[in-house]
Amino acid sequence: MAKKTKKGFLEELKKEFSTYGLALIPIAIGINWAGGFLVQTLKLPIWGDTIGTIIAAVLAGPWVGFAAGGLTNLVKNFTFDPIGAAYGIVNAVIGLIAGYMYKTGRFTEKSNWVEVLGTGLILAFAATVISAPITVYFFGGVTGAGADLITAMILGTEESTGLLTAVFGSELVTDLLDKVLSVFIVFAVMKKLPSRMLRNK
Amino acid sequence: MAFLKTNYIKKDSVIHSLNPLVKFSWVSLVVVLFLFSGSMTLFIVVNIIILLLAFLGKVGRDFIKGLVFMIGPIFLFSLMIHGLFNPFGISEEVLFSFYTINISLEGFYYGLFFGFKISALISVFYLFILTTYPGRMVTSLRTIGFPHKLGFLVNATLQIVPLMLREAETIIDAQRARGLETKGSITKRLGAYVPLLGPIVLGSVMKVYERTIALEVRGFSSTADKTSLYVENITLTDKLLIALSVVLLIIYVVFRVIG
């Protein structure tokens, strides 16, 4: 695997960003937004906006996932909702990791539920590790969402060791639920897709 | 095909007629300040300037309405997190006490600071959104050499998203008609998530091949020069305004380095 990336990273990239990969990105972004919309409709305490990113990463490759994730937040920031571009990198890295997990065969349509759960945990942890410092250093720990209440609760406890850990804790709670659920949904979708679509390896 | 109903408001104003690149330069300027500045006064000034620009762009009322809705919770949580617990502070000075709750002076300051800081960032993006037609935004980026494929990604996204949201609504209605419960306890609502999202994902992913072929038929991968349907002119005023942003940025950097 490592040998392959060294050999021709640019060629790999070109292959990923074929017309198919590029046509997939807007669809993936659409799935992300529809996921977010459903979460709002059902009033669930999660984000739901990385499912499209993971699907793009699985179907076309890690860097297409990266682009789909980053563009989701960027396009949204410039057209609809002025918050969130800063977290584009989180969504992008989710795509990158999910793509490599698929490529190396750790998260595929043939995985068992332990592997799927593991993938969800890794994604949740990665998302929290990246987003917590962004929240603390750029936004002073404030997101304007309900998760701030959890941050305040953790800060209020005796064992509290500062803002970063508090934000880390509150974001891990939502991310764990969100990413594990997202990964299982993608897994269910992968099982239903015709095998000719899942050849990217 | 209809574009996504963004928050863009069609008006005939000075701000609307500016080249989107000018507004991009404002956004970049505020983002730099957001990343590097620690001055509350500066952020309040930025907030006021953007508010004035919004009124100049004849979107003042919508701007305030939307902004209050977005930054209200941010100020609230910011004052709560910093005022009550003061995680960044060192001094113990108390601003006021309320039974057993102490609001520290320093925490209160940090609370306001982050409120105004985030508000400045949101304001500048919101002004951009309210006064810039998405199609023009993409065209203007093309004129400074952004690849056409990136332009396609943005435009295609704006076209696909409204279709998918409509599909999502149809699927919600269809599944409800079949007896799916979308209200009630959290486990019930979580359980409803999968049968709702599944059809959207499967349906749209299956369409990617058709779109690929449609794109190829229209010469998407062709290396020949692409032409745009819309032409975006950059006037002298636009150039001067962009230059002004750059000058302001340089002044800020110089002051930061000296002071």
Side-chain angles (χ1 to χ4, degrees), chain B residues 128-142:
Chain B
F128 185 100
I129 293 168
L130 287 176
T131 61
T132 313
Y133 184 64
R136 283 190 66 187
M137 171 180 92
V138 176
T139 318
S140 78
L141 285 178
R142 287 266 285 120

Side-chain angles (χ1 to χ4, degrees), chain B residues 137-244:
Chain B
M137 171 180 92
V138 176
T139 318
S140 78
L141 285 178
R142 287 266 285 120
T143 57
I144 54 165
F146 268 72
H148 77 278
K149 285 183 175 170
L150 197 69
F152 157 77
L153 287 182
V154 177
N155 269 344
T157 304
L158 295 176
Q159 288 173 344
I160 285 175
V161 168
L163 292 180
M164 293 191 56
L165 291 183
R166 209 179 308 149
E167 213 174 299
E169 276 171 0
T170 314
I171 290 169
I172 291 177
D173 287 343
Q175 297 283 41
R176 269 183 189 152
R178 297 173 68 193
L180 184 77
E181 289 187 62
T182 54
K183 291 188 182 95
S185 71
I186 183 145
T187 39
K188 256 186 197 154
R189 283 179 284 138
L190 267 179
Y193 191 60
V194 182
L196 290 179
L197 195 67
I200 301 177
V201 173
L202 281 171
S204 52
V205 166
M206 301 301 271
K207 278 182 210 142
V208 178
Y209 272 111
E210 292 162 33
R211 291 183 70 90
T212 312
I213 294 165
L215 280 170
E216 277 310 320
V217 166
R218 286 160 180 78
F220 186 69
S221 321
S222 151
T223 48
D225 264 351
K226 302 287 193 294
T227 50
S228 265
L229 183 57
Y230 301 103
V231 183
E232 195 63 48
N233 294 314
I234 183 154
T235 62
L236 185 65
T237 331
D238 292 330
K239 283 181 187 162
L240 285 176
L241 283 170
I242 294 174
L244 179 70

Side-chain angles (χ1 to χ4, degrees), chain B residues 45-205:
Chain B
V45 170
V46 170
N47 269 302
I48 293 170
I49 293 176
I50 296 169
L51 183 65
L52 293 178
L53 287 174
F55 274 102
L56 192 63
K58 299 179 184 168
V59 289
R61 279 188 56 185
D62 302 275
F63 180 81
I64 292 176
K65 244 194 258 165
L67 195 66
V68 167
F69 184 67
M70 283 182 281
I71 65 172
I74 286 176
F75 267 97
L76 184 77
F77 286 125
S78 179
L79 286 173
M80 184 179 78
I81 290 178
H82 291 278
L84 288 179
F85 307 110
N86 193 15
F88 285 164
I90 20 173
S91 94
E92 296 280 316
E93 205 174 330
V94 173
L95 181 66
F96 59 85
S97 294
F98 187 76
Y99 294 106
T100 54
I101 300 168
N102 291 323
I103 303 283
S104 73
L105 181 66
E106 203 184 19
F108 190 73
Y109 170 79
Y110 273 119
L112 281 183
F113 168 72
F114 279 109
F116 281 113
K117 184 179 169 182
I118 300 170
S119 160
L121 187 74
I122 292 180
S123 293
V124 77
F125 274 112
Y126 199 41
L127 179 71
F128 185 100
I129 293 168
L130 287 176
T131 61
T132 313
Y133 184 64
R136 283 190 66 187
M137 171 180 92
V138 176
T139 318
S140 78
L141 285 178
R142 287 266 285 120
T143 57
I144 54 165
F146 268 72
H148 77 278
K149 285 183 175 170
L150 197 69
F152 157 77
L153 287 182
V154 177
N155 269 344
T157 304
L158 295 176
Q159 288 173 344
I160 285 175
V161 168
L163 292 180
M164 293 191 56
L165 291 183
R166 209 179 308 149
E167 213 174 299
E169 276 171 0
T170 314
I171 290 169
I172 291 177
D173 287 343
Q175 297 283 41
R176 269 183 189 152
R178 297 173 68 193
L180 184 77
E181 289 187 62
T182 54
K183 291 188 182 95
S185 71
I186 183 145
T187 39
K188 256 186 197 154
R189 283 179 284 138
L190 267 179
Y193 191 60
V194 182
L196 290 179
L197 195 67
I200 301 177
V201 173
L202 281 171
S204 52
V205 166

Side-chain angles (χ1 to χ4, degrees), chain A residues 5-191:
Chain A
T5 21
K6 245 185 199 168
K7 207 169 157 194
F9 180 68
L10 273 178
E11 278 150 46
E12 287 254 315
L13 216 57
K14 235 180 201 164
K15 211 178 103 202
E16 269 187 37
F17 285 91
S18 60
T19 308
Y20 172 73
L22 286 167
L24 183 65
I25 290 175
I27 301 264
I29 299 175
I31 296 174
N32 281 345
W33 281 20
F37 169 73
L38 285 179
V39 162
Q40 277 175 8
T41 314
L42 295 174
K43 297 189 186 70
L44 296 175
I46 56 174
W47 308 111
D49 62 351
T50 49
I51 293 172
T53 310
I54 303 173
I55 286 177
V58 164
L59 293 185
W63 292 99
V64 168
F66 186 86
L71 277 171
T72 300
N73 287 36
L74 212 57
V75 172
K76 207 172 179 180
N77 210 146
F78 274 104
T79 52
F80 196 69
D81 173 14
I83 322 170
Y87 296 98
I89 185 68
V90 182
N91 208 332
V93 170
I94 294 285
L96 195 62
I97 296 176
Y100 275 111
M101 299 281 277
Y102 180 78
K103 251 190 163 173
T104 53
R106 289 191 185 89
F107 170 59
T108 67
E109 69 277 12
K110 292 187 192 75
S111 299
N112 53 31
W113 69 272
V114 182
E115 285 175 305
V116 181
L117 183 68
T119 307
L121 295 181
I122 290 174
L123 291 183
F125 199 70
T128 313
V129 165
I130 303 166
S131 68
I134 295 177
T135 308
V136 171
Y137 295 111
F138 293 159
F139 297 96
V142 186
T143 58
D148 288 359
L149 286 172
I150 309 178
T151 307
M153 253 169 56
I154 301 177
L155 274 177
T157 57
E158 294 284 316
E159 295 84 19
S160 165
T161 51
L163 189 57
L164 187 61
T165 43
V167 171
F168 191 90
S170 91
E171 289 190 352
L172 194 61
V173 173
T174 33
D175 271 333
L176 274 180
L177 193 60
D178 183 45
K179 300 302 177 294
V180 169
L181 195 66
S182 301
V183 165
F184 271 100
I185 289 173
V186 175
F187 180 63
V189 169
M190 269 156 62
K191 275 189 169 300

